Amino acid sequence: MELWELLDAAGSPTGELHRRGDALPQGRYHAIIGVWTLHRQLKRVLITRRAPEKIICPNRWENTGGSVIAGETAPQAAARELREETGLHSAPGDLIQVATIQNGQVFANCFINYTAQPPDSIVLQAEETVDYRWVSLAEIDAIIAAGHFAEPEIIQYRTCRPFLAQALQDL
């Protein structure tokens, strides 16, 4: 059973715990993370394809993401999700937070992660992800235009795109 710490409208922890899957109370929010991994040599962004059995957005492309579990900070959750979904290891302090987006009852904390790991070293999480690609921002734009990117992550991408473009240019 996964527990989340609820947030108030300002994004501050309330001390209340909430069980994943239950409806969020009115006026309460929960935190998620999104990680955009940039490959230093390829100068590309990692995206993964959601498993076909996923209830939300099956077979759609997305960045690494997930919920912040009670007791975790957003950087800790980002490092955990990155490791679970891709096999990439990054310390929470090495992730660069570029945005926090409030959308509905969610606060999405967006991070950039840099890697120099071999591009084929990605280890996909069974029942979560089934494929991965290293792509340019133009390719992500095309995937979104074709309707093949997970809808909830499009807001993250559009908010983070200027930061990603600058980070890729600086590599």
Side-chain angles (χ1 to χ4, degrees):
M1 175 179 62
E2 187 174 299
L3 293 176
W4 302 334
E5 184 169 2
L6 294 178
L7 308 174
D8 63 20
S12 299
T14 65
E16 302 166 276
L17 295 181
H18 179 80
R19 186 175 51 208
R20 180 183 185 143
D22 291 348
L24 286 171
Q26 183 72 17
R28 292 296 183 250
Y29 303 79
H30 88 290
I32 65 170
I33 58 86
V35 181
W36 299 94
T37 297
L38 309 182
H39 197 281
R40 291 187 182 278
Q41 287 76 31
L42 295 177
K43 298 184 180 185
R44 294 285 188 259
V45 181
L46 176 66
I47 58 172
T48 56
R49 186 186 295 263
R50 294 174 61 83
E53 58 270 10
K54 298 293 285 182
I55 294 170
I56 299 171
C57 302
N59 288 314
R60 299 287 176 97
W61 291 98
E62 66 179 352
N63 60 312
T64 302
S67 293
V68 177
I69 297 172
E72 281 184 320
T73 64
Q76 289 169 335
R80 175 183 50 78
E81 289 287 355
L82 185 66
R83 184 181 64 257
E84 289 175 0
E85 292 185 9
T86 69
L88 295 174
H89 292 265
S90 188
D94 292 337
L95 299 166
I96 301 163
Q97 187 163 359
V98 294
T100 299
I101 306 160
Q102 190 271 319
N103 183 24
Q105 287 184 279
V106 171
F107 281 92
N109 301 282
C110 303
F111 295 87
I112 290 178
N113 173 58
Y114 293 96
T115 188
Q117 293 292 316
D120 61 353
S121 68
I122 302 302
V123 178
L124 299 172
Q125 183 181 14
E127 299 176 5
E128 288 286 330
T129 53
V130 294
D131 197 5
Y132 72 93
R133 290 173 52 191
W134 293 99
V135 296
S136 67
L137 297 182
E139 288 172 293
I140 294 174
D141 294 336
I143 291 167
I144 290 170
H148 300 296
F149 207 81
E151 188 68 33
E153 281 71 28
I154 293 173
I155 293 170
Q156 280 186 46
Y157 174 70
R158 290 187 174 141
T159 300
C160 295
R161 194 183 193 290
F163 300 104
L164 296 171
Q166 186 63 54
L168 288 166
Q169 184 178 336
D170 292 345
L171 288 177

